Amino acid sequence: MTMQLDDIRAFSADQDRGHWFDLVDPVKGKPTGIRVKLAGPDSEVQNRARLRLADDLSEVADAEGRVSAEARERARIDSLARCVLDWEISEDGEPVPFTHANVVRFLRAGAWVQAQVDGFASDRAAFQGGE
């Protein structure tokens, strides 16, 4: 069967609803108990995050268009955080409120966290089918 325009639109809409991802221990490969709901790579959520990233980088560029590595990294993490739709995470035994600032703090907690979240968020195959 051939794909049609409504199939493409449905695929993108499903990615906007997001899918759950279980963070795994970077050494043992076992679930950590932390779950993150991410928008897919073809979603409007990620599209808006990419556009905002471009704007943010333009705002911090110097007169010659250069952006420091520190500013680029801040903008990259901020953009990735905008792709997170929900989460199940606790700190000191209490649920952590879902806010953009807390998502940024979570992503900054470890490069391996960023790598896993970014990897899932960019994997179209992960967004095939249901949650």
Side-chain angles (χ1 to χ4, degrees):
M1 184 167 130
T2 59
M3 185 176 271
Q4 299 189 23
L5 180 57
D6 53 341
D7 296 324
I8 295 169
R9 290 196 334 245
F11 184 64
S12 295
D14 188 45
Q15 289 190 31
D16 269 318
R17 285 187 287 278
H19 288 262
W20 286 98
F21 165 71
D22 294 303
L23 195 71
V24 297
D25 183 287
V27 176
K28 299 176 183 170
K30 296 183 179 187
T32 61
I34 296 171
R35 296 182 75 215
V36 181
K37 190 174 193 179
L38 295 163
D42 299 307
S43 66
E44 277 303 310
V45 170
Q46 279 210 33
N47 186 51
R48 285 190 304 272
R50 284 187 295 272
L51 293 173
R52 175 76 182 263
L53 173 62
D55 287 345
D56 289 349
L57 291 173
S58 293
E59 287 176 14
V60 297
D62 65 16
E64 293 159 0
R66 291 184 305 236
V67 178
S68 71
E70 182 179 324
R72 262 193 320 273
E73 181 66 0
R74 257 192 324 272
R76 183 188 69 80
I77 290 171
D78 187 64
S79 181
L80 183 57
R82 292 184 189 290
C83 300
V84 178
L85 303 174
D86 199 358
W87 67 4
E88 295 173 359
I89 185 171
S90 60
E91 185 174 44
D92 296 325
E94 296 294 322
V96 178
F98 181 71
T99 65
H100 183 75
N102 279 339
V103 174
V104 168
R105 188 168 63 99
F106 163 68
L107 291 170
R108 286 188 178 149
W112 64 273
V113 172
Q114 294 170 34
Q116 286 186 38
V117 170
D118 192 30
F120 186 84
S122 63
D123 182 7
R124 281 182 178 86
F127 292 85
Q128 289 284 50
E131 250 182 270

